[in-house]
Amino acid sequence: MHGSPPLTPEIVLRAYAEGIFPMAERRDDPDLYWISPELRGVIPFESFHVPRRLARTVKSDRFTVSADIAFTDVMRACAAPAEGRLNSWINDEIVRLYTALHAGGHAHSIECWRNGGLVGGLYGVSLGGAFFGESMFSLERDASKVALVHLMARLKAGSYVLLDTQFLTQHLTQFGAIEIPRDAYLARLRAALNHHAYWPASSGSAVGFSLSLASGEAGLTGLSGPAATVWPGVFALQVITQTS
C-alpha cells in the first residue's frame, strides 16, 4: 500500500466483507498489505471446547473480565514484544484504523484484569454475524484463554454465527479451531454477513437477552458508565452451555 491514499475504516470493513484483512510486515514498518489465506482458521460455535482445567480458572474469577474498557491498550499490548514473539504485524497504522473502527462500534476488546492491572485480552472486528479475531496477549498464565472464553460467551449471547481466527495455531486447536479452504470460508462469511447479530451491551440488549445485575453482573472497581460492568466466569460458561 506504499504511496496509496490513507486507508479509512470504511475501506477496511469492505475488505473484511470480501474475506481480506490488512497486516504490516513489522511493528516499525509504516506500510500495510492485504491477506486472504488459502486456508482460514475458524472456531465452529457448535464444537467450541473449554478444557476442564481452564473452566475451573474461568469459574474462579482469578481475572476480572471486561469488554471495551481499554481497547487501544489491548492493541498496544498485543503489539508489544513478548516471549517467542519479538516482532508484530500491528503497526501504528493498524492501531489508528482499528481504534477508529472501535469508536464506530465495529471493533471490540475483551480485557482481563488482576490487582488493577491489565494482564491479558484480545480484540477483533464485528461485521454482521461475523467476528474476526485479530490478536491476543497474556502477561499471566491463562489470561488470553480466559478472554477467549468470555468472547465466545458474548458472541453466542449476541447470536453471532462465525468466529474467524484468520490462521490456525496450536493455541487455538484446544478450543476446537479448524482450518477450512478459502471458498468454504467465503460461503460461511456471506451467510454470516446476512445474519443479524449484536454485541451484548452491559445493561442488556435486544432479542430477550438481559445481562442485568440479577443475572450476576458486577461492577469493575474504579470504572464507570454502562461498559463498566463485567461478566462473572460462571455466567460466561453458562451462556456458552445454554446456547450450544
Side-chain angles (χ1 to χ4, degrees):
M1 299 181 194
H2 182 69
S4 301
L7 284 178
T8 65
E10 292 73 23
I11 291 174
V12 174
L13 285 179
R14 289 202 296 271
Y16 272 94
E18 297 296 328
I20 306 168
F21 55 90
M23 297 180 72
E25 285 280 2
R26 302 179 311 278
R27 185 186 304 104
D28 58 356
D29 188 340
D31 296 325
L32 302 178
Y33 61 98
W34 295 110
I35 301 292
S36 178
E38 291 186 12
L39 292 175
R40 195 73 165 234
V42 299
I43 302 182
F45 282 51
E46 65 277 8
S47 58
F48 183 73
H49 171 68
V50 183
R52 184 173 300 175
R53 185 189 63 79
L54 179 61
R56 291 197 296 267
T57 301
V58 173
K59 288 180 181 177
S60 75
D61 289 325
R62 176 190 305 169
F63 308 109
T64 300
V65 184
S66 62
D68 292 333
I69 294 295
F71 182 87
T72 303
D73 290 337
V74 168
M75 283 201 72
R76 295 204 177 279
C78 289
E83 184 177 353
R85 187 195 68 204
L86 297 180
N87 216 321
S88 169
W89 55 269
I90 303 171
N91 64 2
D92 288 343
E93 179 69 352
I94 290 284
V95 174
R96 178 188 72 81
L97 286 166
Y98 287 73
T99 299
L101 287 171
H102 172 63
H106 289 292
H108 300 283
S109 60
I110 301 291
E111 304 95 11
C112 288
W113 309 82
R114 185 166 166 81
N115 297 327
L118 183 64
V119 297
L122 57 80
Y123 76 96
V125 173
S126 173
L127 193 60
F131 190 89
F132 309 86
E134 290 297 313
S135 188
M136 58 177 60
F137 82 99
S138 186
L139 300 182
E140 292 193 12
R141 182 182 182 184
D142 290 338
S144 62
K145 296 177 183 178
V146 170
L148 180 58
V149 172
H150 277 260
L151 171 67
M152 178 58 79
R154 285 185 175 269
L155 297 183
K156 285 198 169 189
S159 298
Y160 286 78
V161 293
L162 175 63
L163 175 51
D164 173 7
T165 68
Q166 299 178 342
F167 303 103
L168 183 66
T169 66
Q170 186 68 30
H171 176 75
L172 294 173
T173 56
Q174 64 187 299
F175 295 97
I178 60 173
E179 281 183 327
I180 58 176
R182 182 188 290 133
D183 288 348
Y185 168 77
L186 291 175
R188 293 194 188 195
L189 175 60
R190 285 191 292 270
L193 294 178
N194 290 319
H195 183 85
H196 173 70
Y198 67 97
W199 182 258
S202 59
S203 58
S205 190
V207 199
F209 190 90
S210 176
L211 303 178
S212 65
L213 288 171
S215 300
E217 283 193 315
L220 183 58
T221 303
L223 301 173
S224 61
T229 51
V230 300
W231 293 16
V234 66
F235 181 58
L237 291 171
Q238 286 174 353
V239 171
I240 290 172
T241 302
Q242 291 170 3
T243 57
S244 297

